[in-house]
């Protein structure tokens, strides 16, 4: 057995996702596909349209922002959640995060604005 057998190629020691939300967006997309909400070709079309938008970074540093925008638009097109619903839920999570003591799990029921 050579010492390089089973070793990862160069660059694989870097994290795949720069931030946790990117991994979450990726996992959510895979889970929604697995549930049959959309096909991979629908996903590829939606993501491709976002990445091709004017102003996209040539170095790809904004790739997951496009990923998230594609997912939001696909969910809206499928009638699962409109942009307003997504924005409201995101705001609720942000309020819950600010209201949660450090070290405690962030729960949506911690949103001080819930029930308004």
């Amino acid at each position: 057995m050579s010492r390089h057998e089973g070793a990862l190629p160069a660059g694989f020691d870097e994290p795949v996702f720069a931030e946790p939300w990117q991994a979450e967006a990726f996992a959510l997309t895979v889970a929604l596909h697995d549930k049959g909400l959309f096909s991979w070709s629908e996903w590829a079309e939606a993501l491709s349209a976002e990445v091709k938008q004017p102003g996209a970074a040539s170095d790809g540093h904004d790739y997951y922002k496009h990923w998230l925008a594609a997912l939001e638009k696909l969910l809206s097109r499928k009638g699962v959640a409109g942009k307003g619903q997504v924005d409201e839920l995101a705001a609720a999570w942000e309020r819950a995060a600010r209201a949660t003591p450090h070290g405690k799990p962030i729960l949506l029921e911690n949103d001080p604005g819930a029930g308004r």
Side-chain angles (χ1 to χ4, degrees), residues 14-59:
E14 300 293 322
V16 176
F17 303 103
E19 299 180 37
W21 71 265
Q22 296 171 348
E24 292 166 356
F26 180 90
L28 181 59
T29 302
V30 171
L32 292 172
H33 168 266
D34 287 349
K35 294 252 185 234
L37 188 65
F38 50 81
S39 68
W40 281 131
S41 60
E42 287 176 295
W43 170 248
E45 184 179 313
L47 180 57
S48 178
E50 287 302 315
V51 172
K52 291 177 182 176
Q53 290 287 329
S58 60
D59 67 358

Side-chain angles (χ1 to χ4, degrees), residues 18-110:
E19 299 180 37
W21 71 265
Q22 296 171 348
E24 292 166 356
F26 180 90
L28 181 59
T29 302
V30 171
L32 292 172
H33 168 266
D34 287 349
K35 294 252 185 234
L37 188 65
F38 50 81
S39 68
W40 281 131
S41 60
E42 287 176 295
W43 170 248
E45 184 179 313
L47 180 57
S48 178
E50 287 302 315
V51 172
K52 291 177 182 176
Q53 290 287 329
S58 60
D59 67 358
H61 76 271
D62 57 353
Y63 180 75
Y64 279 100
K65 288 183 181 176
H66 294 294
W67 182 289
L68 192 55
L71 183 57
E72 289 176 353
K73 288 179 182 173
L74 194 51
L75 291 176
S76 181
R77 244 190 343 260
K78 294 286 186 172
V80 175
K83 174 125 175 68
Q85 292 169 303
V86 171
D87 290 345
E88 287 173 24
L89 189 56
W93 277 109
E94 287 179 28
R95 288 189 305 267
R98 285 192 300 270
T100 301
H102 180 74
K104 298 290 183 187
I106 299 171
L107 304 172
L108 193 53
E109 51 264 23
N110 291 346

